[in-house]
C-alpha cells in the first residue's frame, strides 16, 4: 500500500460521469418499476390470488446500477406455507399476465421457473418466491434476494458512487459477473466490499494484499469453514460464502488489476480499449512467430443458457487436454470460446505430431513372470521397432497409436466424459482444425478472443 | 527352472569344437610361454637384477582360454619390500629387454606401467608386480592376479570345458568382458561361477532367477556390504567384489540371455549371426518409419586407451542428454560409438525442434514482492509473446532461447562437464549431424552399430 499514489478525485468523477445514471434515467426506471408493481398487483387480483406482495430488488432497487444497463428484478412473494407447486403455477400465471404488456417474454429456469420479459426496453425478471421470516429459512435460493436488499439498501446509502466505481473497475478488469462463464464478482459482492471497506479506494488498496484464505465477515457470525480463495460471509446467512463462485484466477486477476491501477491510476482500468479482431494475415504471422501447434475443436453451439453451457465447456477443455496428455502430447494452454452458431475449444500444443516410435517401458528383468510375459507380448510383434534393456527394465520401441493430435481427437474425443448438451452437439458432428485452419472461423467476437489468445 | 529343457550334449560338443584350443594350439602356447619365461630370466640376469620370479597367469595359464585368442600374461614379480619406483624402472627394463625379440611393443599404464608386446603373433602383457604374502597385502591391483591363479587353477581342473562354454555363451550375449567399455563379466568371474555352480548348465539355470542383491561367497568370508547388482566375493580378498564392474544392464542382459537360451538351446546363443552394416537406403527407411529425430555429436576419437575413453564417453552421453532435457527436449535414448578416427554420441529425440514460444511460470500473484518483480521483468519485454494468470500464478509466454536441439548442442555442449580427453578433442572441433546426415559416417563398424540402434 505504501508506495501507491492516491486515486485522483478527477479520475473518479470522470468515471462516474460515464456510468452514473442521469436524473431522467433514474426517473424513467422508477416509473417503470412502479408500472410493473402495479401490473403484478392487478394481475394477482384479476386471477383471484391473494396475499401476494411485490418487491423490487437488485441493483436497480438499491441505486447501484450502472447507467446503460436496463435490468429490473421484480420478486412476486407468496406466504411461506404456500406449496412449492402452487407457488410456481400461480407465480408464473401472474408473470404471464404482466407479460401481455411486454415486447418479448421467455420462460427461464433456475431453482424454479421464472419469466424474463422485455418491457419498454428494460430487461425484467419476474421471479416468484417465498416470503420467509429469515434468510436461514429460505426454501429456494431466490428467496434470499429480498434479505440482501434489506441488508444492503440502508448501509450502502451515500456510498452508491463507490459501488458504481468498483463495479466498473471490475468490468474493466474482466472480473465482474458471477455467472458460471465468468466466475467473477457479483453485484451483491461489490456492495458488501464497499460496506466493509468504506470506499472504492480502500477496497482497491486492501485487495492488493489479499491472499487465498482472505475472509471478510461483516456480521462476525461465520459458522463454517470454506475453502474458496476468498470468503465473504453472507451477512444474511452465516453458512453462505457470497464469493463461492469466484475462481482462483479471477481472484488473482482482480488483485493484479488493483496493483496495476494504483501504480498508474488511469481511465483505461475502467474502460479498456476494445481489442481489435485478429485478421487472417495476423493469425498467420502469429502462428509463424510462435511455431507451436494450435488446435480447435469446433462444433455447433448447444442451445442452452450460458450457465448450463460454460461448465460443460470447461469440463470438455479439461477432458480434451487430459486425453492429449495421456497420449504423450504436451498441452501448453487451453481455452474456450462460444458464439451464436459455433463453439470452439482451443488447445495450444508443443507439437501436434509425435514420432511413430514410442518407448514402452516394461517391468524389471528380474521380476521374472511379469518380465517374461511383457517380453513375449512385444518381442517380434507387429509394429515393434526393437527392444533393449535399460536401467534393468525391458524396453520396447513400439508403434505409436496416435502420432497426430488431430487424429487422436477425431478418433477418441467422444470417449471423453462430456456434459449432456455438449455431448449431444459434438456427437452430431465436430471438426478439428489446426493452425492456419482457424482462419475459417470468421466470427468477429472469436477474432477478438484470438487476439488475447495468441 | 521348471519348464526349461536340458541343454543337449550335442550342442555343447558343437560349441566346444569351435572354441576349444586344439592340441597343436595348446603346444604352441606352452612353447611360447616357456620362451617368454626364459627370456625374462635372461634379461634379469643380463641387467644384474636378482630375486625376480616369472609367473604365467590368466586364462592361458589356467587352460581356460578360447581358441583363437592369443593373450598371454607374464608377471615379473619382485620382493614385497622393493620400493615402488625401483620396481617400475627395473620391471620395465626387463620387459624392454624381452621386447627386443618382439614384433611390436607399446608402453601401457594401469596402476603402474607395463609393456604390451606382440611376440610371434601372441598379444603379451609383461607386467611387473610385487610378490606379497597374501592377497590382502597387495600393493597394486595386479598383485592380486597370482592369487587368483592359485585359487582357480586347482579348482577348475576338469571343468575347463564348462568355463569355455560359459565364456563363449557370454560373448554371444554381448556381456563378456569387464573393461569399462563393456561393463560385463570378467574371465575370472566366469571361472568362479563354474567353481560355485559346478557346470555351465547349472550356472545358466541359476542365473535365470538372479535378482539384484544376488551374492555368491565361495569362501564364506565376506567382510563388507556391496551395493552392486551382483556380488561375487573374491575368494582371495574378503573385501572385494569381483563383479564390481558389472553394470545393471549387463547383469540383466545375461539373465535374459540365459532364459531365452533355455527355451531354445541353440548354437546362435554362442555364435550370433554378425549383423550387417546398415546401408544408406536402410537408414533413410528407418528414419522415415520412426519419425523421431536422430542427432549425432561427432568428433575426432581421442588418442587414449578404451578404459580411459569409454567412461568419458558415457559421461558425455549423460551430460548431453541432461543439457537437452534442461532445455525441454525429450530424449528417448542415448548411445555411444567410437571408431578408429571418429567418435559419435547418439541421441534420439521425440523432436529436434520446439516452438519459439515457451511457457514460463512465475510465482503466485499473492506472493506480492516476488510476483511483482517477476511481472516487471517480463511484461512488455523483448521477445515476450504475452502473459496471463493460470492457477493463481503469473505465466509469461517468452521466446525460447534454443528452439532446435542442434543449435543448443552447438552452442552449449562445451559448457557440459566433460572428461579430459573428450573435452580436448571436442574443443578442437565437433559436428552435430541430424537424421539422414548420419549417412555421412561410412565406417562399417558404425553401420553395424546403427542396425542395433535403429
Amino acid at each position: 500500500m505504501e508506495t501507491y499514489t492516491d486515486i485522483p478525485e478527477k479520475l473518479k468523477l470522470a468515471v462516474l460521469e460515464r456510468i452514473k445514471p442521469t436524473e431522467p434515467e433514474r426517473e424513467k426506471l422508477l416509473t417503470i418499476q412502479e408500472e410493473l408493481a402495479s401490473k403484478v398487483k392487478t394481475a394477482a387480483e384479476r386471477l383471484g390470488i391473494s396475499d401476494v406482495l411485490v418487491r423490487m430488488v437488485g441493483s436497480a432497487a438499491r441505486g447501484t446500477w450502472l447507467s446503460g444497463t436496463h435490468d429490473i428484478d421484480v420478486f412476486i412473494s407468496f406466504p411461506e406455507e404456500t406449496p412449492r407447486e402452487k407457488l410456481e403455477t400461480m407465480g408464473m400465471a401472474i408473470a404471464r399476465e404482466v407479460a401481455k404488456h411486454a415486447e418479448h417474454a421467455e420462460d427461464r429456469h433456475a431453482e424454479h421457473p421464472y419469466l424474463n420479459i422485455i418491457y419498454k426496453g428494460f430487461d425484467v425478471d419476474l421471479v416468484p418466491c417465498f416470503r420467509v421470516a429469515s434468510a436461514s429459512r429460505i426454501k429456494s435460493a431466490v428467496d434470499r434476494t429480498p434479505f440482501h436488499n434489506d441488508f444492503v439498501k440502508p448501509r450502502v446509502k451515500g456510498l452508491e458512487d463507490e459501488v458504481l466505481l468498483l463495479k466498473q473497475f471490475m468490468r474493466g478488469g474482466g472480473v465482474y459477473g458471477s455467472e458460471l462463464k465468468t466466475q467473477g464478482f457479483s453485484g451483491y459482492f461489490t456492495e458488501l466490499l464497499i460496506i466493509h471497506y468504506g470506499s472504492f479506494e480502500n477496497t482497491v488498496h486492501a485487495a492488493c494484499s489479499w491472499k487465498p484464505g482472505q475472509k471478510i465477515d461483516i456480521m462476525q457470525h461465520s459458522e463454517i469453514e470454506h475453502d474458496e480463495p476468498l470468503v465473504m460471509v453472507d451477512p444474511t446467512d452465516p453458512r453462505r460464502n457470497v464469493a463461492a463462485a469466484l475462481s482462483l484466477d479471477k481472484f488473482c486477476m482482480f488483485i493484479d488489476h488493483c496493483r496495476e491501477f494504483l501504480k498508474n491510476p488511469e481511465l483505461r482500468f475502467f474502460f479498456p480499449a476494445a481489442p481489435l479482431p485478429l485478421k487472417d494475415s495476423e493469425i498467420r504471422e502469429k502462428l509463424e512467430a510462435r511455431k507451436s501447434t494450435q488446435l480447435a475443436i469446433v462444433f455447433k453451439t448447444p442451445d442452452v443458457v450460458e450457465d448450463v453451457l460454460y461448465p460443460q465447456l470447461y469440463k470438455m477443455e479439461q477432458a480434451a487436454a487430459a486425453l492429449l496428455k495421456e497420449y504423450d502430447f504436451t498441452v501448453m494452454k487451453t481455452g474456450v470460446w462460444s458464439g451464436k452458431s459455433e463453439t470452439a475449444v482451443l488447445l495450444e500444443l508443443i507439437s501436434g505430431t509425435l514420432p511413430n516410435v514410442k518407448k514402452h517401458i516394461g517391468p524389471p528383468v528380474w521380476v521374472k513372470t511379469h518380465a517374461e510375459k511383457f517380453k513375449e507380448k512385444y518381442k517380434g510383434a507387429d509394429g515393434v521397432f526393437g527392444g533393449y534393456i535399460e536401467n534393468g527394465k525391458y524396453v520396447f520401441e513400439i508403434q505409436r497409436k496416435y502420432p497426430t493430435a488431430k487424429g487422436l481427437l477425431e478418433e477418441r474425443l467422444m470417449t471423453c466424459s462430456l456434459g449432456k448438451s455438449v455431448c449431444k452437439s459434438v456427437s452430431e458432428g465436430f471438426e478439428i482444425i489446426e493452425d492456419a485452419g482457424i482462419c475459417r472461423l470468421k466470427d468477429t467476437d472469436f477474432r477478438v478472443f484470438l487476439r488475447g489468445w495468441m
Side-chain angles (χ1 to χ4, degrees), chain A:
Chain A
M1 216 179 287
E2 322 71 28
T3 62
Y4 296 126
T5 53
D6 280 346
I7 305 171
E9 276 312 304
K10 242 176 61 184
L11 175 65
K12 289 193 259 188
L13 290 173
V15 175
L16 286 170
E17 198 171 339
R18 293 167 68 169
I19 61 170
K20 196 173 169 172
T22 58
E23 208 41 53
E25 226 180 325
R26 235 171 251 284
E27 274 164 24
K28 182 163 184 208
L29 182 83
L30 271 174
T31 314
I32 300 288
Q33 285 183 324
E34 277 160 22
E35 279 180 36
L36 287 165
S38 113
K39 285 200 193 314
V40 170
K41 279 178 213 149
T42 315
E45 278 163 26
R46 193 176 313 142
L47 294 167
I49 303 170
S50 61
D51 215 357
V52 163
L53 293 181
V54 191
R55 286 207 56 176
M56 296 297 150
V57 295
S59 59
R62 300 173 200 155
T64 57
W65 48 288
L66 291 165
S67 167
T69 60
H70 293 84
D71 301 324
I72 296 179
D73 297 316
V74 183
F75 275 47
I76 307 164
S77 86
F78 290 80
E80 191 171 352
E81 60 280 8
T82 315
R84 172 173 290 255
E85 204 178 298
K86 214 172 156 200
L87 172 126
E88 289 183 4
T89 43
M90 295 194 304
M92 288 305 278
I94 294 170
R96 277 188 228 290
E97 270 300 306
V98 177
K100 285 181 180 162
H101 309 274
E103 293 102 84
H104 177 80
E106 197 178 297
D107 275 33
R108 295 214 178 143
H109 211 103
E111 221 175 303
H112 50 70
Y114 65 97
L115 202 68
N116 173 265
I117 64 172
I118 305 298
Y119 178 82
K120 297 191 176 169
F122 283 77
D123 187 303
V124 182
D125 285 337
L126 299 165
V127 185
C129 72
F130 292 102
R131 196 155 66 237
V132 291
S134 86
S136 58
R137 292 179 59 188
I138 58 158
K139 296 175 142 194
S140 158
V142 296
D143 301 342
R144 221 187 314 256
T145 312
F147 293 96
H148 292 169
N149 230 48
D150 293 346
F151 182 85
V152 169
K153 212 170 168 181
R155 289 174 177 84
V156 93
K157 204 149 189 73
L159 295 173
E160 290 91 343
D161 286 358
E162 302 298 318
V163 173
L164 294 182
L165 286 169
L166 183 56
K167 282 187 177 177
Q168 187 61 39
F169 179 71
M170 284 180 166
R171 271 194 175 177
V175 298
Y176 187 63
S178 61
E179 332 80 70
L180 296 176
K181 174 182 176 179
T182 310
Q183 298 176 33
F185 295 79
S186 69
Y188 178 48
F189 195 165
T190 61
E191 292 164 335
L192 295 178
L193 283 173
I194 293 300
I195 289 168
H196 177 68
Y197 287 115
S199 70
F200 165 63
E201 184 154 350
N202 287 352
T203 305
V204 167
H205 275 296
C208 289
S209 303
W210 279 354
K211 288 178 177 55
Q214 179 71 36
K215 187 169 177 175
I216 300 171
D217 186 2
I218 297 172
M219 301 304 284
Q220 297 287 320
H221 68 170
S222 165
E223 280 180 8
I224 55 168
E225 291 297 309
H226 299 270
D227 58 4
E228 289 92 6
L230 179 58
V231 179
M232 168 69 86
V233 183
D234 193 336
T236 75
D237 183 348
R239 305 179 67 78
R240 180 169 177 262
N241 177 16
V242 178
L246 179 68
S247 73
L248 177 65
D249 286 348
K250 288 292 155 82
F251 171 71
C252 288
M253 278 168 70
F254 180 61
I255 297 173
D256 178 65
H257 196 54
C258 290
R259 288 185 192 153
E260 292 296 328
F261 172 63
L262 289 183
K263 278 185 220 154
N264 291 296
E266 289 167 6
L267 210 55
R268 65 186 165 94
F269 288 93
F270 297 87
F271 306 105
L276 292 173
L278 219 54
K279 287 183 279 193
D280 285 4
S281 61
E282 288 176 301
I283 293 176
R284 284 175 213 279
E285 271 164 33
K286 281 172 186 284
L287 287 171
E288 185 52 34
R290 297 174 80 90
K291 284 216 160 74
S292 53
T293 294
Q294 301 283 349
L295 286 182
I297 310 171
V298 183
F299 53 97
K300 207 171 145 285
T301 299
D303 185 22
V304 288
V305 295
E306 287 194 339
D307 269 1
V308 171
L309 177 60
Y310 275 87
Q312 294 189 24
L313 294 182
Y314 296 144
K315 188 181 174 182
M316 178 179 184
E317 178 188 12
Q318 297 306 315
L323 175 67
L324 288 165
K325 279 176 206 166
E326 189 190 332
Y327 285 90
D328 298 340
F329 293 94
T330 308
V331 179
M332 294 175 68
K333 66 176 176 188
T334 60
V336 153
W337 172 83
S338 184
K340 277 224 162 56
S341 64
E342 287 186 306
T343 292
V345 169
L346 278 98
L347 302 143
E348 182 175 24
L349 311 187
I350 284 284
S351 171
T353 58
L354 289 173
N356 286 333
V357 61
K358 177 187 159 83
K359 187 172 171 178
H360 188 46
I361 300 171
V365 172
W366 57 86
V367 183
K368 206 172 159 189
T369 321
H370 282 96
E372 291 196 292
K373 232 179 242 170
F374 178 81
K375 190 177 172 184
E376 224 160 83
K377 179 170 173 193
Y378 290 104
K379 201 193 167 182
D382 264 8
V384 170
F385 292 90
Y388 52 97
I389 292 170
E390 188 180 61
N391 301 324
K393 290 172 180 169
Y394 283 122
V395 173
F396 280 95
E397 300 177 326
I398 62 172
Q399 182 81 35
R400 188 182 296 279
K401 196 162 178 194
Y402 299 107
T404 74
K406 187 173 187 282
L408 169 60
L409 288 172
E410 281 168 350
E411 199 160 316
R412 313 235 350 141
L413 180 63
M414 286 308 298
T415 68
C416 290
S417 161
L418 300 174
K420 193 178 151 195
S421 320
V422 162
C423 183
K424 185 166 170 288
S425 175
V426 168
S427 69
E428 284 163 10
F430 68 94
E431 188 189 356
I432 307 295
I433 54 185
E434 207 171 347
D435 294 335
I438 55 178
C439 293
R440 206 268 282 144
L441 302 174
K442 303 293 186 196
D443 188 296
T444 307
D445 184 56
F446 176 71
R447 294 304 183 94
V448 166
F449 166 85
L450 268 193
R451 185 169 298 276
W453 173 259
M454 293 175 94

